[in-house]
Amino acid sequence: MLDQIRGLHHVTSMADDARANNHFFTSTLGMRRVKKTVNFDSPDVYHLYYGDKTGTPGTVMTYFPFPQMPRGRAGTGEVGTTVFSVPKGSLGFWQDRLARLGVTGLKAEETFGEKRLNFAGPDGDGFALVEVEDDPRAPWTEGGVFEDHAIRGFHSVSMRLRDEGATAELLKFMGYEVLDRGDGATRLIVPGGNGASRVDLETLPSINRAAQGAGSVHHVAFAVENRAKQLEVRKALMDTGYHVTPVIDRDYFWAIYFRTPGGVLFEIATNEPGFDRDEEVAHLGEALKLPQQHKHLRPILESHLQKLEG
């Protein structure tokens, strides 16, 4: 069993309108845009990152906004809900705020003994807020939401699977332990994690397979401290029979990817070097940052990419 993984690092999804996506996360949810860059493989498409003040691993939601992309179809083999942690007693505030701002899909419930507010993103994305008592992570408070209500980071992700067995065994191999079971779902947690430590597995044997599109999660990334630990994880996964990519430099972290038995794409990402490697913390997410191989495209991209504000 591995002990290098500390919880979630980031969750990457797809959208069809960059400006609407940016507005939702920075204005509606009050998160900070910590990086404005482009898709490594399709540089005419943004890669936008939202999180806390510095983009701490375990807080970062990222998006590829493909213009006019059709909506995805919900189903199995995907992350169905991305869940954020908020302070205890704050869901009333969020219910009122999201309703006032026209957010759809609002539904209050209790799962695994926790108060939860489900809601939809601009592309039908599945989100929820869960009240967590004494989450020590410092929130971003310059986005219009004060500290006693602000998002702390991820709480969990919930995966929809036809059969949880093989994915549960993989997560156990990755250092997760079963915390609870109920209502057709299993909750796993990595002990001593980074706060974004839980993964829920929903078993839905009669549901069709998901089709990716706007509003779909592209992949979920798990955090390791550094490249040495990442290589340890890669070797262990390959020794177990998984087909894992070589290490890829993503400028702000190093990444490896592999497909899980349930169909969800997993990434293992390093906490180093971080989002302040090419911008001062005070100015994160302001300038368009380009990977080295795309720097020559700056004049074209700056005229082509949708303006995020205004």
Side-chain angles (χ1 to χ4, degrees):
M1 186 177 74
L2 302 176
D3 62 3
Q4 297 90 341
I5 292 168
R6 308 317 311 144
L8 300 177
H9 186 284
H10 65 270
V11 177
T12 294
S13 294
M14 296 178 291
D16 79 340
D17 186 273
R19 183 179 294 180
N21 181 262
N22 180 77
H23 182 270
F24 182 77
F25 281 93
T26 60
S27 297
T28 303
L29 297 186
M31 298 172 70
R32 185 182 195 188
R33 190 178 73 221
V34 294
K35 196 60 60 179
K36 179 171 67 171
T37 183
V38 295
N39 187 311
F40 271 70
D41 302 314
S42 183
D44 59 334
V45 172
Y46 276 121
H47 194 175
L48 303 175
Y49 294 76
Y50 311 99
D52 67 0
K53 180 178 180 179
T54 60
T56 305
T59 75
V60 181
M61 190 81 205
T62 99
Y63 269 86
F64 302 133
F66 288 88
Q68 300 179 359
M69 185 182 208
R71 280 202 179 184
R73 185 188 70 231
T76 56
E78 68 172 353
V79 172
T81 311
T82 302
V83 186
F84 297 97
S85 167
V86 294
K88 190 173 179 62
S90 65
L91 284 188
F93 164 86
W94 281 105
Q95 175 97 41
D96 293 343
R97 177 181 178 84
L98 297 181
R100 175 169 47 83
L101 295 175
V103 174
T104 62
L106 291 169
K107 180 185 177 183
E109 62 180 4
E110 188 168 309
T111 59
F112 292 112
E114 296 170 326
K115 291 182 178 180
R116 171 180 175 132
L117 178 64
N118 298 300
F119 62 100
D123 295 289
D125 328 45
F127 292 120
L129 302 171
V130 166
E131 290 189 349
V132 177
E133 189 168 13
D134 298 326
D135 187 330
R137 295 176 290 176
W140 175 247
T141 56
E142 296 180 36
V145 180
F146 295 126
E147 184 172 358
D148 52 352
H149 300 126
I151 289 171
R152 266 43 182 180
F154 294 124
H155 169 275
S156 58
V157 291
S158 181
M159 303 181 195
R160 301 190 190 108
L161 307 170
R162 297 197 70 135
D163 183 343
E164 72 165 47
T167 302
E169 289 306 309
L170 167 63
L171 286 166
K172 291 175 187 176
F173 179 70
M174 290 168 58
Y176 282 76
E177 300 176 355
V178 173
L179 181 65
D180 202 356
R181 288 188 171 93
D183 297 326
T186 299
R187 169 162 290 178
L188 298 99
I189 189 168
V190 61
N194 61 6
S197 311
R198 301 165 186 83
V199 173
D200 293 345
L201 304 180
E202 299 180 72
T203 302
L204 301 165
S206 61
I207 303 299
N208 290 332
R209 190 169 182 81
Q212 285 205 334
S216 300
V217 171
H218 184 271
H219 63 267
V220 56
F222 296 84
V224 292
E225 183 180 350
N226 53 43
R227 296 184 72 186
K229 292 186 182 296
Q230 183 184 63
L231 290 174
E232 293 170 2
V233 172
R234 183 175 186 270
K235 181 179 186 304
L237 288 168
M238 294 181 69
D239 288 348
T240 310
Y242 285 95
H243 299 284
V244 186
T245 68
V247 176
I248 302 171
D249 183 356
R250 295 303 194 196
D251 283 355
Y252 311 108
F253 47 86
W254 283 272
I256 57 175
Y257 303 86
F258 65 103
R259 186 73 61 178
T260 67
V264 181
L265 182 61
F266 276 14
E267 174 184 344
I268 309 296
T270 62
N271 290 350
E272 58 179 7
F275 293 99
D276 60 352
R277 68 176 296 272
D278 59 0
E279 286 182 297
E280 294 180 4
V281 169
H283 298 287
L284 286 178
E286 294 179 5
L288 176 65
K289 295 297 180 179
L290 298 177
Q292 185 63 40
Q293 66 268 35
H294 297 319
K295 287 186 183 297
H296 67 287
L297 298 174
R298 179 173 291 278
I300 298 170
L301 294 176
E302 287 184 338
S303 64
H304 165 80
L305 290 167
Q306 183 183 16
K307 303 302 181 186
L308 297 181
E309 290 89 11

